[in-house]
């Protein structure tokens, strides 16, 4: 590829992201396009779709010449089915891992130390001390050792947990022994907390099923910050209702969780509304990634994080 500077046309969905990008290489035309109406250009070198509604608007790229679609999310399950043919798609690896890991550890602490109970007591003006379970000294099974999993591990270790990591294949990575998923059944009986960070998709759908939940000891906590369909919701509801398992979920299946769903109000369940990456850390990090992609494209270099096409 040529190493010379190229003129680029770049679409971003908001004025805020446009402002966050700051100074860009000469020759970059920046267009704010929320993708809520037809494309204002017939060609873009880079398109950044809106964050939460990307899958509903990708069809607007049909018939438009696009060099790269840069998602603002890490996950991309299902995107291949709706991305117009021939387009290259990059995910937002490096943007959300730290925030999602913060929430995973926060959900684990909140559930262990009964902070959700204290929040209800605060609203009711009630002083009701409890002796709770610690995070320290717990045996934690980390299911998934990609970017988010590694960020969770880095934050868990200072809490003095006994950490066991599981991923698709066994390996030692950065000094961490990682078990293969085929070893999972033999690891469940010792796990007091399971934190799920896997990506979605057919290969991982319902990996947390009745068999996995049945293999955990009574009182175990399941934390899911990956994707909702990783967990068989019916099986989870059954185990929680029987007092066997507790759950802290940033993602659910279905999602959003409808009014009246049995997970709402179920004792032992704490739910966050899919906000793992929704923190103040996102804006500067997505801007840094988009700016890096623009600079690479302007130099004729391959973009980062390509997961589809290309």
């Amino acid at each position: 590829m040529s190493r010379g500077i190229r003129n680029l046309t770049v679409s971003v969905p908001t004025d805020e992201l446009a402002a966050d990008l700051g100074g860009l290489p000469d020759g970059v035309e920046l267009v704010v396009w929320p993708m809520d109406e037809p494309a204002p250009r017939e060609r873009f070198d880079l398109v950044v779709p809106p964050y939460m509604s990307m899958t509903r608007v990708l069809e607007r790229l049909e018939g438009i010449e696009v060099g790269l679609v840069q998602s603002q999310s890490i996950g991309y399950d299902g995107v291949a089915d709706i991305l117009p043919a021939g387009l290259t798609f990059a995910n937002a690896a490096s943007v959300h891992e730290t925030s999602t890991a913060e929430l995973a550890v926060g959900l684990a602490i909140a559930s262990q130390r009964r902070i959700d109970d204290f929040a209800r007591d605060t609203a009711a003006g009630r002083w009701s001390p409890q002796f709770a379970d610690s995070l320290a000294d717990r045996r934690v099974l980390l299911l998934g050792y990609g970017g988010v999993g590694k960020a969770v591990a880095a934050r868990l270790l200072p809490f003095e947990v006994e950490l066991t990591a599981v991923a698709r294949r066994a390996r030692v990575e950065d000094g961490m022994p990682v078990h293969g998923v085929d070893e999972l059944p033999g690891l469940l009986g010792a796990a007091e907390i399971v934190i799920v960070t896997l990506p979605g998709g057919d290969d991982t759908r319902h990996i947390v099923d009745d068999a996995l939940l049945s293999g955990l000891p009574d009182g175990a906590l399941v934390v899911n910050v990956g994707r909702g369909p990783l967990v068989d919701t019916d099986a989870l509801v059954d185990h929680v209702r029987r007092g066997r398992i507790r759950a802290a979920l940033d993602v659910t299946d279905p999602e959003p969780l409808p009014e009246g769903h049995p997970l709402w109000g179920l004792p032992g369940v704490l739910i966050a509304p899919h906000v793992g990456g929704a923190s103040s850390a996102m804006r500067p990090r997505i801007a840094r990634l988009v700016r890096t992609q623009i600079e690479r494209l302007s130099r004729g270099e391959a973009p980062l994080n390509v997961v589809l096409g290309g």
Side-chain angles (χ1 to χ4, degrees):
M1 300 178 72
S2 170
R3 305 291 292 184
I5 302 300
R6 296 171 51 203
N7 292 333
L8 302 177
T9 303
V10 175
S11 160
V12 296
T14 65
D15 292 322
E16 290 79 9
L17 180 51
D20 289 344
L21 291 176
L24 294 173
D26 292 339
V28 175
E29 179 191 8
L30 196 60
V31 178
V32 176
W33 178 37
M35 299 183 68
D36 55 355
E37 56 187 17
R41 301 284 190 280
E42 295 181 353
R43 182 186 184 282
F44 288 104
D45 294 278
L46 173 65
V47 170
V48 182
Y51 178 38
M52 296 303 292
S53 60
M54 178 187 71
T55 57
R56 298 196 295 272
V57 299
L58 282 180
E59 63 182 20
R60 291 198 178 275
L61 298 179
E62 191 73 51
I64 305 299
E65 185 181 352
V66 178
L68 177 69
V69 181
Q70 174 60 64
S71 172
Q72 298 190 65
S73 299
I74 299 175
Y76 56 95
D77 44 301
V79 171
D81 297 329
I82 58 176
L83 186 70
L87 298 191
T88 301
F89 182 92
N91 76 346
S94 78
V95 172
H96 299 291
E97 289 87 343
T98 55
S99 289
T100 303
E102 285 178 354
L103 185 63
V105 175
L107 287 170
I109 293 173
S111 294
Q112 291 293 98
R113 300 302 301 267
R114 310 294 174 84
I115 293 175
D116 52 338
D117 287 346
F118 299 148
R120 287 187 284 270
D121 291 341
T122 298
R126 182 170 54 235
W127 184 273
S128 182
Q130 296 189 46
F131 187 89
D133 294 318
S134 66
L135 181 56
D137 302 329
R138 301 283 69 80
R139 296 184 298 275
V140 180
L141 181 66
L142 180 57
L143 186 50
Y145 202 66
V148 173
K150 293 172 188 175
V152 171
R155 285 152 182 79
L156 278 177
L157 289 173
F159 284 92
E160 302 177 26
V161 303
E162 182 181 325
L163 184 63
T164 300
V166 177
R168 184 190 299 268
R169 59 179 179 83
R171 58 189 186 272
V172 175
E173 188 165 343
D174 298 328
M176 170 69 74
V178 181
H179 296 264
V181 71
D182 57 309
E183 303 175 66
L184 184 56
L187 300 171
L188 297 174
E192 297 169 286
I193 300 173
V194 178
I195 300 180
V196 187
T197 69
L198 290 165
D202 293 341
D203 291 344
T204 56
R205 178 176 173 79
H206 287 186
I207 190 170
V208 180
D209 58 5
D210 179 70
L212 186 149
L213 296 170
S214 296
L216 295 173
D218 289 348
L221 171 67
V222 174
V223 179
N224 186 11
V225 294
R227 285 292 183 264
L230 297 172
V231 176
D232 181 336
T233 301
D234 291 342
L236 180 65
V237 168
D238 174 61
H239 280 262
V240 174
R241 278 178 169 163
R242 291 188 282 119
R244 276 261 309 124
I245 297 295
R246 297 171 295 130
L249 311 171
D250 181 47
V251 288
T252 61
D253 184 23
E255 190 175 296
L257 203 61
E259 183 179 355
H261 191 278
L263 280 174
W264 288 125
L266 195 60
V269 174
L270 175 61
I271 296 172
H274 200 154
V275 292
S279 80
S280 58
M282 178 184 172
R283 277 186 57 176
R285 290 168 190 249
I286 191 64
R288 184 162 61 240
L289 175 59
V290 172
R291 188 165 54 245
T292 296
Q293 299 287 48
I294 291 171
E295 291 169 349
R296 292 179 70 88
L297 292 174
S298 73
R299 295 191 297 263
E301 298 173 1
L304 305 175
N305 299 345
V306 171
V307 292
L308 296 171

